[in-house]
Each structure stands twice: as structure tokens, then as C-alpha cells.
Amino acid sequence: MLRRRSPQRGLYEADNLYLSFVGEDTFYGFLARHRGELFRDEDFAEFYSPDWGRPSVPPSLLATALLLQTHDRVSDEEAKARADYDLRWKVALGIEADERPFAKSTLQLFRAQLVLKEKMRAVFQRSLEYALQSGYMKRRKLRAVLDTTYILGRGAVKDTYNLLADSMRQLLTALAQAEGVEVAAWAAGHGYERYMASSIKGEAEVDWDDEESRSEFLKEIVTDADRLLGQADEALGWLAGGEVGREQIVRAAELMKQLISRDVERDEGKVALKEGVARGRVVSVHDPEMRHGRKSSSRRFDGYKAAIAVDAQSQLITAVAVLAGNAADSEGALELTTASEENTGLGVEETIADCAYGSGNTRQAFADEDRKLVAKVGRHGRRGQIPKREFRINLEDMTCTCPAAQTTQTLIKIGKWTDRHGKKHQRWAFHFDADLCGACARRSECVWAKGRQGRTIRLHPQERLLQEAREFQQSAAFREYRQIRQTAEHRLARLVQLGIRQARYFGRRKTLFQLLMAATVANLTLVANKTEQRGSEGSPPVSLSSKILAFGKSIWNHLAHLELNLTSIGGQKPAFRL
């Protein structure tokens, strides 16, 4: 049953007694003064039964505790301890000094409800609503700045041998639970004992320098996996459709099939690991959504990408998303822009990003929605060869002029390209005559093909959009956008301070929860710091009557504290009453 907090604050609550001691200008003091404006118990009413059960811990208190946990970067166990004993937390939560507000499991269950019912975005949106209500964010058109950073996944990354063994152990566990027996006994009874070890490679007697020995060992694992998949199909035949065990078996079997298809190659009875890394390869059985990703050609990571949109003027994070580790930075750029409008209720005037968002497909997506995207066009082409940007392409006359002032109108077909809607289109390129290029003094740095061939300049499917972008980035007006882009980098640095570099949970959905909580804390701390500075700079002189009232309140608080201490020591109320 939902329990609501009274809007009237109690005399013995820690924020009434110790707010000035903890500090009104701290994040804890900010939550103490404004927690009632941030969260209301009725916002979480769908988590609770309206008419039966014991009264719950007020959900507004638990939501505040989750923000404190993110701010202090502590575990659930430590969050429970701080709520019990840390005066700063008690002030922020608005509880009495000797109160122990919740159990660790209560906090975990509340977080699970937020994730399952997708209410986590509502907590993030409250930070933006409060910024608008407080006047920190003005009602105007936004300039959304986009950027990404990597998140290291929580799942253990292993090689193919151990990945297959781990996936088999998951399927063994699901089959054993479906039959109601211990997994170790089920595995032993069907000849899968070795897959219960923590590392199958550590238990195996294999000459890892011998390719034949490695191949034979892998063949044994794949053969056992095929046999286990057959047993899983038999179990699915007698399990009812709605049983939970059936879903676990299906999920474990699908994961195993995916690992075999992407990592293992079979050829005439031989089994070997595939060369290279398949796109979308699963890197962890414990978190199958993790992917290999790269921040540069030499820097690799395993996990996800955090994508954010930031309002350039207020520096508030207006939208967030979690991408796969191998996804392009620009994936979902348009969705982040529209999410910023939905979260704030304000329109986005223009979207600003770095060259990772400057591809033709991304520009076309924004142009189709009549939106403005400002992003630098990346440099492409072979190093040491005269680049395409030095060729003047006239799309009106359909001519191309090279740096040596030679012009061609010859167009040749060079295959097809697929747009974001899946439709195929013909690709074209300008071709210079071989005789012209052969007589040119700059042929050696322009045409690298052997024999008598001329230079070919490909027309990009979004050539007009790219030309406009290149022209703008060479103008003086583009300098402002170089500085604006740094806004998102600063906010990403703040999120990293709040712990998003390492995922706390398994799975993309829970990692998004972590990112949303960090973005909420980042927004609230920014609003708190700025509003406190603005208030202290523009505050009028304190009158004598205000000082007398403040002194009287201080005396009252000390008397209340004295009554609380006498009660706790003597076991009964003192003779005097406040």
C-alpha cells in the first residue's frame, strides 16, 4: 500500500535541526529544501496496491535515496548504511536522526520497479521540469549539442572456448530447473561434468601450440553443444507454453546458437574458429548485449556507448541514450534531438555535433525532417593523393573541374547504394579522360592506378548537403560552433565523475537507468550551484527583524534537540514541553 509523506515537516526531522550544519549550499542541503518539488509519492502510485498490504516506505524518499547513491557513488549496502548513520543523508531525506528509513532489499525492489515499468525517464525529466520552474532554464529555442563516450560493460569478456562453455552451463541450469533436480547431478547424468568448471580451458589437456589439438578440442565442445541443443528441443516439447522454465531454455539455447554461428566455422567435418571478428559478436555470456567497440584505431573497449544531448546555453543534459558498443556515434542522433523536445517541451533550433555526425546519411535524416544539423565534414581519401575536396563539382551543370583546370562532364555508373529506408539508388562518378590525366604534370600525385587510366571522382548520394556543410565550415561563422561543441564534452566529463565509465549492472536497459540517474544528478547539481550563486549575488541586505527571527528559530531547534536527547537517554519525555 502506498504511503505518502506529509507536506508538513516534522520538528525532529534532521533537515529542521541540522540543515545549517550540513550546509544549505551542498547537494544534500539542496535536496532537503527542494525534495518536495522534485518527487511526489503519487507519481509512483502504480507500483503499489491502493487498498491492501502494509504501508510502504514513501517512494519519494526512495527516489531521493537513489539520487544520493548516484551522487556519492556507493553500493546498495553503503547506501543503506548512510541512510541509517550519515547526517548528510538524513538531512537530504528529511528523516529523524535516529530513524532507519529502509532496508537494502526495499531500495533494490524500488529500482527494479523503475526499470521494469520504464519510470526511470520520469525521474530524469523532473530535473528538467524543475530547471524550468526555477527559472534556470529559459523558455526558448534550444541548441542541442550531441556527443558520446564509452561505458565498460560489467559482464566478463572471454574467448570462444569459455564463452561456449558458459552458455552451455546456462542451458544446463535451465534444463535442470525444468526437471526439478540439481544442475550438477543433471550434468553428471548426461555427460556434461566438465562444463561445470569455472574455466574449461584450465581443466583441459590441450597443446595450445598445436593447431590440430586446438581444433579437436573445439570440435568436442561443439559436438556436445549440438547434443545439448537437441535435448533442449525435447524439453521444449513437453514444457507448457506459459512456464517460466521454457523461456529460460529458449533464451539460453538462442544464445548458444548465436555463439556457434558467429565464432565457429565447420568445413567437411573439421571445426575451427572463424578468422577475424564478426560484426555483432557476443563477447560475454553474462551480458549478451555487450559489444566490441572502438574510440580510435588503437583503442578498443567492450561494453556500450553513452549518447547525450546538451542544451548549449544552460548546459543541462536534455536527453540520453545507450547505444551498442559497435554502433556509430551518429546512430539515433535525430531521436536524441526529438527526445530533447519531448523532455523539455521546447523546440530545438539547431543540432550541433562533431565530425562523427557529419556523414551524408545523418545529414539527410535531419534534412528530411526539416532540421538544421551543424557538424564538420570528415576528411576522406588516400593519404598523399590529391583529395576530392580540391575538385570543384558543379551540381547545376553537372561538371567537375580538377586542380589543373581540366573539366569533365563524363559520368559513369559505379554500383548502387541503399538509403536509410532500404531503397536502392544508382551511384555515379565523374571520369577524366586518360589522355588528359596522362599529359598532366600532377598525375603521379593524383592518379595511382597503373596503366593508362584517368582520375575518377565519386558523387556522394548527399553531395549537395556535403558541399553546403564544407562551405559553411570554412566561414568565420563556424568558429562559434567549435566552442559550443565543448559543452557536451564537459557534461560527459561530469557523468564520468558520477561513475558511468563502468557499468554497475548487466544489460543495456539497466545501464540506461544508471546513465539516467547520473544525468539527473548532473542536472540538479548544476541548477543548485547556479541558483545558489545567483541568489547570493542578488540577495538584499538582511534586516534586523530577519536576524531576530533566525536567532529564535535556532533557539527553538536547539530546545527540540535537547528534548530528543533527554527522551533517548531517560526513556521518557522530560517535564517541560515545547
Side-chain angles (χ1 to χ4, degrees):
M1 181 184 295
L2 176 64
R3 177 185 173 189
R4 292 179 171 86
R5 303 186 75 176
S6 172
Q8 183 175 358
R9 304 199 173 186
L11 181 64
Y12 302 116
E13 290 178 358
D15 56 340
N16 194 30
L17 297 173
Y18 304 109
L19 178 58
S20 58
F21 178 74
V22 170
E24 296 187 18
D25 57 345
T26 63
F27 183 65
Y28 311 99
F30 172 79
L31 289 180
R33 289 180 287 118
H34 301 288
R35 62 175 181 271
E37 303 169 52
L38 294 174
F39 305 118
R40 299 176 303 170
D41 293 313
E42 49 268 27
D43 294 337
F44 307 95
E46 61 185 287
F47 296 174
Y48 305 92
S49 172
D51 51 10
W52 63 274
R54 293 181 300 174
S56 66
V57 177
S60 60
L61 186 148
L62 294 173
T64 306
L66 287 176
L67 294 185
L68 290 169
Q69 182 184 26
T70 302
H71 179 269
D72 289 3
R73 298 181 59 178
V74 296
S75 64
D76 292 341
E77 186 71 33
E78 180 64 19
K80 157 67 176 166
R82 295 200 180 193
D84 290 345
Y85 307 114
D86 193 315
L87 189 60
R88 297 170 302 175
W89 279 52
K90 290 182 179 295
V91 167
L93 295 173
I95 58 177
E96 296 185 8
D98 60 347
E99 185 177 349
R100 297 184 180 182
F102 55 80
K104 182 176 75 170
S105 58
T106 304
L107 187 67
Q108 293 171 338
L109 181 60
F110 180 72
R111 179 171 55 232
Q113 290 287 343
L114 286 175
V115 175
L116 288 174
K117 297 185 182 297
E118 297 185 349
K119 288 284 290 185
M120 47 194 178
R121 290 190 184 274
V123 177
F124 167 69
Q125 288 170 346
R126 281 298 300 138
S127 66
L128 296 172
E129 292 172 6
Y130 177 78
L132 286 167
Q133 292 169 4
S134 65
Y136 176 74
M137 176 183 274
K138 305 300 182 183
R139 296 192 176 275
R140 50 171 173 73
K141 289 286 188 178
L142 302 178
R143 304 174 81 184
V145 188
L146 310 184
D147 207 349
T148 65
T149 190
Y150 64 93
I151 301 175
L152 300 176
R154 186 172 176 81
V157 179
K158 300 183 179 181
D159 59 17
T160 301
Y161 300 97
N162 281 316
L163 280 176
L164 286 172
D166 286 351
S167 67
M168 291 180 67
R169 188 157 53 249
Q170 284 190 356
L171 186 52
L172 286 168
T173 302
L175 290 170
Q177 289 177 348
E179 295 187 15
V181 298
E182 292 290 333
V183 60
W186 199 96
H190 293 80
Y192 299 108
E193 302 96 325
R194 64 175 178 174
Y195 298 103
M196 299 307 297
S198 59
S199 173
I200 192 171
K201 290 177 66 177
E203 301 289 333
E205 296 181 359
V206 178
D207 183 3
W208 296 105
D209 295 327
D210 181 20
E211 182 180 354
E212 193 77 24
S213 180
R214 295 197 306 270
S215 179
E216 187 63 30
F217 178 57
L218 181 61
K219 184 177 180 179
E220 293 175 6
I221 297 177
V222 174
T223 301
D224 286 343
D226 290 338
R227 181 163 63 93
L228 185 60
L229 286 171
Q231 292 171 313
D233 289 337
E234 293 177 5
L236 292 175
W238 55 264
L239 280 173
E243 292 189 24
V244 177
R246 180 184 179 88
E247 182 181 345
Q248 293 176 343
I249 293 174
V250 170
R251 188 165 55 246
E254 288 297 326
L255 177 59
M256 189 187 302
K257 292 176 183 178
Q258 186 178 1
L259 287 171
I260 294 174
S261 65
R262 294 186 179 181
D263 289 14
V264 178
E265 190 173 36
R266 310 190 200 201
D267 185 21
E268 298 180 356
K270 293 184 178 181
V271 179
L273 297 177
K274 286 186 178 180
E275 294 290 336
V277 178
R279 178 171 177 80
R281 176 180 181 266
V282 175
V283 299
S284 173
V285 170
H286 305 96
D287 188 352
E289 294 180 294
M290 286 173 52
R291 292 293 182 269
H292 291 306
R294 288 190 177 275
K295 288 302 290 182
S296 65
S297 58
S298 60
R299 192 174 182 182
R300 197 186 79 176
F301 67 93
D302 297 307
Y304 304 94
K305 286 183 179 179
I308 66 170
V310 180
D311 173 35
Q313 181 172 330
S314 66
Q315 300 186 22
L316 290 171
I317 300 172
T318 55
V320 301
V322 172
L323 309 177
N326 60 347
D329 287 1
S330 59
E331 183 176 308
L334 184 59
E335 288 76 6
L336 275 178
T337 302
T338 56
S340 295
E341 294 181 331
E342 295 172 0
N343 293 336
T344 61
L346 306 175
V348 174
E349 181 180 21
E350 57 184 354
T351 303
I352 305 163
D354 58 23
C355 62
Y357 296 79
S359 66
N361 289 333
T362 306
R363 295 181 189 279
Q364 188 63 58
F366 275 78
D368 291 344
E369 299 293 329
D370 197 23
R371 292 183 178 275
K372 181 180 179 181
L373 173 65
V374 180
K376 187 177 180 180
V377 181
R379 294 191 175 188
H380 303 285
R382 297 177 179 177
R383 184 176 298 178
Q385 186 182 34
I386 296 177
K388 173 184 174 180
R389 62 179 178 273
E390 294 191 21
F391 289 75
R392 297 192 305 277
I393 298 175
N394 189 325
L395 295 176
E396 302 299 330
D397 299 334
M398 292 304 293
T399 61
C400 180
T401 304
C402 75
Q406 298 293 336
T407 301
T408 183
Q409 290 182 309
T410 304
L411 287 170
I412 59 174
K413 296 180 179 180
I414 56 170
K416 295 183 179 294
W417 66 280
T418 305
D419 63 19
R420 63 192 184 96
H421 302 294
K423 188 177 180 180
K424 292 186 177 296
H425 304 269
Q426 183 65 54
R427 292 201 66 178
W428 298 89
F430 286 104
H431 180 68
F432 288 85
D433 187 79
D435 293 334
L436 285 176
C437 292
C440 182
R442 303 187 64 181
R443 175 183 169 81
S444 60
E445 55 181 318
C446 185
V447 182
W448 285 11
K450 296 181 180 179
R452 289 180 54 80
Q453 294 187 23
R455 178 71 185 267
T456 299
I457 299 297
R458 297 186 177 189
L459 270 175
H460 196 280
Q462 291 86 27
E463 188 67 43
R464 189 179 301 278
L465 292 174
L466 293 174
Q467 280 190 5
E468 293 172 356
R470 288 193 185 96
E471 182 179 354
F472 178 67
Q473 74 188 38
Q474 293 173 359
S475 66
F478 187 72
R479 296 176 184 174
E480 176 192 6
Y481 292 93
R482 296 179 186 271
Q483 298 178 341
I484 294 176
R485 286 206 315 263
Q486 298 176 8
T487 307
E489 297 175 3
H490 295 160
R491 291 291 85 197
L492 284 175
R494 174 59 177 146
L495 292 176
V496 171
Q497 283 182 339
L498 292 169
I500 70 158
R501 179 66 76 220
Q502 176 64 61
R504 291 174 59 97
Y505 315 106
F506 295 106
R508 188 168 170 178
R509 194 173 182 180
K510 292 182 180 179
T511 303
L512 175 60
F513 170 83
Q514 179 184 353
L515 179 58
L516 284 166
M517 290 297 102
T520 303
V521 173
N523 283 347
L524 290 178
T525 51
L526 185 63
V527 173
N529 292 337
K530 297 296 184 181
T531 52
E532 288 295 335
Q533 291 176 9
R534 186 175 57 191
S536 61
E537 291 172 0
S539 58
V542 180
S543 63
L544 178 60
S545 59
S546 299
K547 292 181 179 180
I548 293 174
L549 287 174
F551 178 73
K553 183 179 180 181
S554 176
I555 293 296
W556 179 271
N557 288 340
H558 282 296
L559 288 173
H561 192 199
L562 175 61
E563 180 182 3
L564 178 64
N565 289 339
L566 290 173
T567 302
S568 61
I569 294 173
Q572 59 183 359
K573 293 289 184 180
F576 68 91
R577 295 292 298 162
L578 296 178

